[in-house]
Amino acid sequence: MKVFKFGGASVNSVERVQKLGEILSHYPDEQLLIVVSAMGKTTNALEKVAEAFFAGKQEEALSLFKVVKDQHLTTAKYLLVTQALACEAQLADFFTEAEWLLHDQPVREFDYYYDQIVCIGELLSTAIVSHYLNEAGYRNKWLDVRDIIRTDDHFREAVIDWDFTAQKVAKMKELFATERILLTQGFIGSTDENESTTLGREGSDYTAAVFANLLDAENQTIWKDVPSVMNADPRHYPEAQPLPELNYAEVIEMAYYGAQVIHPKTIKPLQNKDIPLQVKCFLDPSLPGTIIHDEAVKGLPPIIVVKEQQVLLELRSRDFSFVAEQHAGTLYHMLESLLIKPNLTQNAAISFLCVVDDHAEKIEKLALEASQLFDVQVIRDLSLLTVRHYTPASLEQLLKDKTVILRQQTPDTIQVLVR
Ligand code: ASP
Ligand code: MG
């Protein structure tokens, strides 16, 4: 059995949904579990609905939601003939689920409403794709993943209850006795009180990996709109090259430093069961793509990851007390309690440097708290370049025209903060 994951870009138009059917034609006999994201930018659009609702702007929320509704109804209309009515009825159920909530007043926390509203994106897209595939001859069974993936109630970053979910997946697996293709949503789950949850943005890769793990899948394929994983972002580095092969550790490192290749949580469930991950291009399935597995991969080119909008916090002790002796613990504790994940830290005798993403509100809080002990300086608009397997030539090329502010290196990896 194989697990396929199709992202938002692979289902964002009538043609692309049709393309998905064509891809399945290359796998006529395989048992497949297919995980699908929300169409195109639907999740972003639903985030706006949630924000308007929570701000008390009910009219605006409803009219933003209507745009999402109409887009899906139009897509369904173009795609479907025999399944059109059945699909519309299913979509209508989800519309009602959302509108019912939007007509209320918010009384709980924002993150709860966010999840109840945003999860609709995946429900709508999978309903349409499933009906389309059935009509196109790829018989499949649609499943509401909220009946399978059980999570805690940490809305927007819900944590999976593996034991409960494993039992549900075992039940689901029995369906393969009569069905060749099961199709469900990525990114969403549900609490034990049937409240919808989400697993963090771009979480569908992770959902697919959870299923691959629990189903002991032969492999997982993520279908993307790029030919393969590249060693740099081709939009910024025209000389970027494809990476045909990577190992799990490399991908975890890349994701950690900010490469937007694969959701960072995806690798662990696969690595734990030694399940290979393929990244393939849905626009041209004949391309080899990238294969990610456990074995060491030799001869990798420099892999470049860029994080923009970085902030350097420079904390200096006022009374010449050594940072490491007096305050290191306090500093890390402050970062942890504000849920700030430093992208790079460095400490000298009386100063501590820390590079973080630009979450203005959190940084302000941190600066305020830290200013009781330190002189605090905040420098914005920087970029953090990380290069794995760097060479002198690659660094020279990368750093020309840049002002280097901070640099940290190991034999494997160099990180350079630049302006
Ligand atoms: N639709 C969700 C998002 O855009 C999940 C995903 O695409 O993986 O974040
Ligand atoms: Mg996506």
Side-chain angles (χ1 to χ4, degrees):
M1 170 196 323
K2 293 180 163 52
V3 174
F4 282 180
K5 181 261 176 174
F6 291 91
S10 52
V11 288
N12 72 354
S13 68
V14 167
E15 294 73 30
R16 289 196 169 179
V17 176
Q18 288 164 334
K19 185 84 194 171
L20 201 157
E22 203 185 305
I23 287 172
L24 296 192
S25 72
H26 298 288
Y27 302 87
D29 307 313
E30 316 270 353
Q31 287 185 330
L32 298 174
L33 174 81
I34 303 180
V35 172
V36 183
S37 300
M39 292 178 166
K41 300 269 174 264
T42 305
T43 304
N44 294 1
L46 290 169
E47 283 185 337
K48 296 271 177 287
V49 175
E51 282 160 20
F53 167 75
F54 196 71
K57 300 176 191 159
Q58 196 179 63
E59 296 276 303
E60 187 184 323
L62 284 163
S63 81
L64 287 170
F65 187 65
K66 179 152 189 315
V67 177
V68 173
K69 257 169 89 168
D70 291 345
Q71 278 165 350
H72 286 85
L73 286 170
T74 308
T75 307
K77 199 168 113 198
Y78 280 109
L79 275 167
L80 302 167
V81 183
T82 56
Q83 297 271 328
L85 283 178
C87 183
E88 264 173 45
Q90 196 182 7
L91 297 181
D93 281 346
F94 300 133
F95 295 154
T96 311
E97 193 176 320
E99 280 164 345
W100 192 68
L101 181 145
L102 293 177
H103 278 104
D104 251 353
Q105 293 299 324
V107 288
R108 294 182 59 170
E109 75 278 22
F110 173 72
D111 290 352
Y112 164 78
Y113 291 108
Y114 176 102
D115 280 3
Q116 310 318 301
I117 294 166
V118 162
C119 73
I120 304 286
E122 266 63 18
L123 294 164
L124 298 175
S125 71
T126 51
I128 295 174
V129 172
S130 170
H131 282 288
Y132 169 74
L133 291 176
N134 272 323
E135 194 173 307
Y138 300 99
R139 204 185 89 174
N140 67 91
K141 185 165 178 62
W142 180 92
L143 300 170
D144 189 330
V145 84
R146 296 173 299 177
D147 297 330
I148 305 166
I149 302 268
R150 167 66 59 85
T151 71
D152 66 4
D153 62 359
H154 190 173
F155 296 105
R156 291 184 75 177
E157 284 290 342
V159 177
I160 291 181
D161 173 343
W162 279 82
D163 291 339
F164 186 94
T165 303
Q167 286 173 29
K168 290 288 183 180
V169 171
K171 269 255 158 278
M172 178 187 95
K173 198 170 179 175
E174 292 170 9
L175 294 170
F176 279 116
T178 50
E179 304 284 342
R180 184 173 75 83
I181 304 175
L182 303 179
L183 189 143
T184 195
Q185 305 79 41
F187 174 56
I188 69 176
S190 147
T191 67
D192 55 2
E193 295 185 26
N194 284 323
E195 299 157 320
S196 301
T197 51
T198 64
L199 308 176
R201 286 301 306 263
E202 304 300 330
S204 293
D205 292 349
Y206 176 50
T207 305
V210 171
F211 278 120
N213 175 300
L214 294 175
L215 289 166
D216 289 304
E218 194 184 312
N219 62 32
Q220 172 176 334
T221 305
I222 297 183
W223 295 91
K224 284 174 95 73
D225 58 351
V226 291
S228 66
V229 179
M230 312 280 280
N231 72 325
D233 186 338
R235 287 169 300 183
H236 302 299
Y237 299 95
E239 65 280 16
Q241 54 190 102
L243 298 168
E245 207 184 342
L246 288 169
N247 73 7
Y248 297 132
E250 189 68 42
V251 175
I252 292 224
E253 295 282 350
M254 288 170 73
Y256 174 80
Y257 290 118
Q260 279 163 341
V261 270
I262 288 155
H263 190 281
K265 283 197 223 158
T266 310
I267 298 299
K268 186 175 185 291
L270 299 176
Q271 190 273 341
N272 288 172
K273 292 253 178 109
D274 203 359
I275 299 169
L277 172 64
Q278 276 185 293
V279 176
K280 281 181 72 80
C281 179
F282 68 81
L283 299 168
D284 185 354
S286 70
L287 295 175
T290 299
I291 175 103
I292 299 158
H293 51 53
D294 209 15
E295 287 127 58
V297 177
K298 293 229 166 65
L300 287 173
I303 295 178
I304 303 163
V305 182
V306 182
K307 259 182 177 263
E308 307 282 3
Q309 295 206 320
Q310 296 296 292
V311 179
L312 174 65
L313 295 166
E314 192 175 346
L315 313 181
R316 215 167 260 285
S317 73
R318 289 195 191 103
D319 57 357
F320 272 55
S321 57
F322 290 114
V323 170
E325 258 169 36
Q326 307 276 334
H327 305 302
T330 322
L331 276 169
Y332 278 100
H333 189 74
M334 276 182 208
L335 291 169
E336 201 187 315
S337 71
L338 288 165
L339 297 174
I340 297 177
K341 185 176 92 54
N343 296 325
L344 187 156
T345 60
Q346 189 160 301
N347 70 278
I350 55 169
S351 71
F352 176 80
L353 302 174
C354 175
V355 179
V356 298
D357 294 342
D358 197 349
H359 295 301
E361 216 174 287
K362 288 185 182 180
I363 289 171
E364 217 169 286
K365 276 192 198 149
L366 181 74
L368 192 72
E369 227 174 284
S371 66
Q372 296 174 3
L373 296 170
F374 302 97
D375 284 331
V376 181
Q377 218 192 337
V378 179
I379 306 168
R380 290 202 140 81
D381 288 326
L382 305 173
S383 305
L384 182 61
L385 308 180
T386 303
V387 189
R388 306 250 314 143
H389 320 293
Y390 57 91
T391 59
S394 65
L395 285 181
E396 192 184 331
Q397 162 79 4
L398 206 63
L399 296 178
K400 70 172 194 294
D401 325 322
K402 304 242 168 33
T403 313
V404 174
I405 295 183
L406 187 70
R407 167 196 296 250
Q408 213 170 66
Q409 77 192 87
T410 66
D412 261 353
T413 308
I414 183 163
Q415 289 196 284
V416 191
L417 185 69
V418 299
R419 192 191 308 277

